[in-house]
Amino acid sequence: MKNVIFCQQQEIRKNLDEILNKLFDSDIFTYNSYPGYTYRSNDFIIKKFNKSICEKTEDYQKVNCTDCANIVCLIATQLWQSMEMNIIFGEHLEGHQKVGSFKCNNVIPIGKKEWEKEDFVFHQVAFISACDDGQFTKDACIYDLSLKIDKGSNPGKADGDDKISFLSGGFKANENVEKCIKIDEPYTKEYYLERLVESGQSVWFESKGTKSNLYFDLDDMKYVDEISQTAVPLYLQNMRLKAVQENKYECKWAAPDGRRITWFRNVEHLPAGEYLASVLMRFSCRLTEKEAPKLGERVFYGPDLLITYFEGSAYAINCKDMAKAEEMARSLKNSIIQ
């Protein structure tokens, strides 16, 4: 009986690999840093996805890693294969400054033909647990539709005839339990993280995975339009910031001079890393993380933008004067952490 089940699983995974490779090579999708079908990290809008497949309109062709992980889970569901998702975070040093992102070996993003250098603040993938119990371990099988990695013996090499592009289907998550990726080339083992990430980078998976939530349309998510104002920090009112938009997932305040603050509610009680990733992926601009404990536990900078995370919540501050934005973040943090 065990042999029959094993053969069935092997056949399912073979079919999954074939479908994902055909989809990757179809030229339907092009890699983008901003999600096209996913709200937060695991709410997938099927209607929008189906439209892209049928009509192939340019606006609907752009996907990021979160979209791709959810697409893999959707396809796996049709094959009766249980699958979940996980998120990779990392950090590296630039001079003496610790930056909250990680650099990759050359990869081929979906929709592209050539090897490219990429770096990510986070990266989301789908996985099948080693024991088919939903638990994430370093032996989980990774499925990443968003990019191809190098299956050759020198994954750290920029280019060359010996590079072999591969869609990672079934490679184990990572070889080492340590955060710092270090491999000696030639490298012949089939581990996803060691082949994806540039040697010397510090990276890690979240401790557990999450399932993809499938919605036919965005309206099915049933936003709550009226939410109590009692959570608005008093200092926002003192700074002449007024609530301009609220729903179940976020609250926005604005001032006449153009300053804006958005509070992203963690209504699903997601783990800290997954929640923060769901916030960061809403921004299409390049974000750089900097250590600024007075402003928050984790702080990210973008053009006229500061994102601060502390006490389990993330806040985006839009302000052209970054010194003023930092003062707002400092005041916000102090007003909540008494």
Side-chain angles (χ1 to χ4, degrees), residues 73-298:
C73 289
L74 174 63
I75 294 171
T77 299
Q78 306 306 308
L79 298 174
W80 298 93
Q81 171 64 60
S82 176
M83 185 171 278
E84 298 194 23
M85 300 177 293
N86 204 333
I87 299 174
I88 306 164
F89 288 99
E91 61 187 18
H92 69 280
L93 289 175
E94 289 188 0
H96 298 291
Q97 179 71 47
K98 189 180 291 184
V99 178
S101 64
F102 60 93
K103 298 178 180 180
C104 296
N105 293 320
N106 279 18
V107 297
I108 301 179
I110 189 168
K112 305 292 183 65
K113 304 296 183 184
E114 305 295 331
W115 295 99
E116 296 182 4
K117 194 71 174 174
E118 294 284 352
D119 63 290
F120 300 122
V121 174
F122 71 92
H123 188 61
Q124 189 164 344
V125 296
F127 74 89
I128 299 174
S129 59
C131 298
D132 243 353
D133 58 0
Q135 299 299 311
F136 185 83
T137 66
K138 68 185 186 70
D139 292 323
C141 297
I142 301 298
Y143 289 83
D144 184 358
L145 177 63
S146 68
L147 52 83
K148 286 187 175 182
I149 56 177
D150 183 7
K151 192 182 179 182
S153 58
N154 296 284
K157 191 175 178 181
D159 51 32
D161 295 337
D162 57 343
K163 293 189 76 65
I164 304 171
S165 61
F166 183 69
L167 204 55
S168 79
F171 271 21
K172 291 183 178 180
N174 54 298
E175 179 179 13
N176 301 309
V177 293
E178 300 295 331
K179 288 184 177 180
C180 187
I181 296 295
K182 284 193 178 297
I183 63 170
D184 294 322
E185 295 183 350
Y187 185 78
T188 58
K189 298 177 182 179
E190 296 184 346
Y191 288 97
Y192 173 78
L193 211 54
E194 277 75 9
R195 290 184 172 277
L196 171 70
V197 179
E198 187 178 289
S199 187
Q201 301 285 294
S202 291
V203 293
W204 58 91
F205 282 99
E206 287 283 90
S207 59
K208 61 180 182 179
T210 183
K211 288 188 176 295
S212 176
N213 298 323
L214 304 177
Y215 295 92
F216 179 71
D217 204 351
L218 196 62
D219 292 338
D220 293 343
M221 299 177 70
K222 295 181 175 60
Y223 294 111
V224 177
D225 293 323
E226 294 185 9
I227 295 179
S228 172
Q229 298 282 329
T230 57
V232 180
L234 180 62
Y235 103 98
L236 289 173
Q237 299 175 359
N238 293 337
M239 296 183 69
R240 293 180 296 171
L241 283 152
K242 295 183 179 180
V244 294
Q245 182 181 344
E246 294 188 44
N247 58 44
K248 183 178 180 181
Y249 299 102
E250 59 187 47
C251 225
K252 295 183 179 182
W253 297 279
D257 61 4
R259 291 172 295 142
R260 300 194 312 277
I261 290 184
T262 303
W263 169 34
F264 301 96
R265 292 182 164 116
N266 189 3
V267 295
E268 302 292 339
H269 304 291
L270 299 173
E274 186 181 330
Y275 159 71
L276 184 56
S278 73
V279 171
L280 297 178
M281 75 179 191
R282 304 179 193 205
F283 299 90
S284 57
C285 61
R286 184 180 180 85
L287 298 172
T288 301
E289 183 174 6
K290 296 182 180 180
E291 288 190 51
K294 291 184 178 180
L295 307 184
E297 297 168 28
R298 298 188 69 176

Side-chain angles (χ1 to χ4, degrees), residues 235 239 259-261 288-296 299-302 304-308 310 315-334:
Y235 103 98
M239 296 183 69
R259 291 172 295 142
R260 300 194 312 277
I261 290 184
T288 301
E289 183 174 6
K290 296 182 180 180
E291 288 190 51
K294 291 184 178 180
L295 307 184
V299 181
F300 301 84
Y301 288 81
D304 301 332
L305 172 68
L306 186 153
I307 301 171
T308 176
F310 57 86
Y315 304 83
I317 300 173
N318 296 90
C319 184
K320 292 185 179 298
D321 186 338
M322 197 48 58
K324 187 177 291 186
E326 290 175 341
E327 180 55 37
M328 291 172 70
R330 190 179 298 109
S331 299
L332 175 62
K333 180 172 178 285
N334 292 339

Side-chain angles (χ1 to χ4, degrees), residues 29 37 44-53 71 74:
F29 298 117
Y37 311 108
F44 188 74
I45 314 304
I46 297 176
K47 183 178 179 180
K48 197 174 183 183
F49 175 68
N50 287 342
K51 185 179 179 69
S52 71
I53 296 292
I71 290 170
L74 174 63

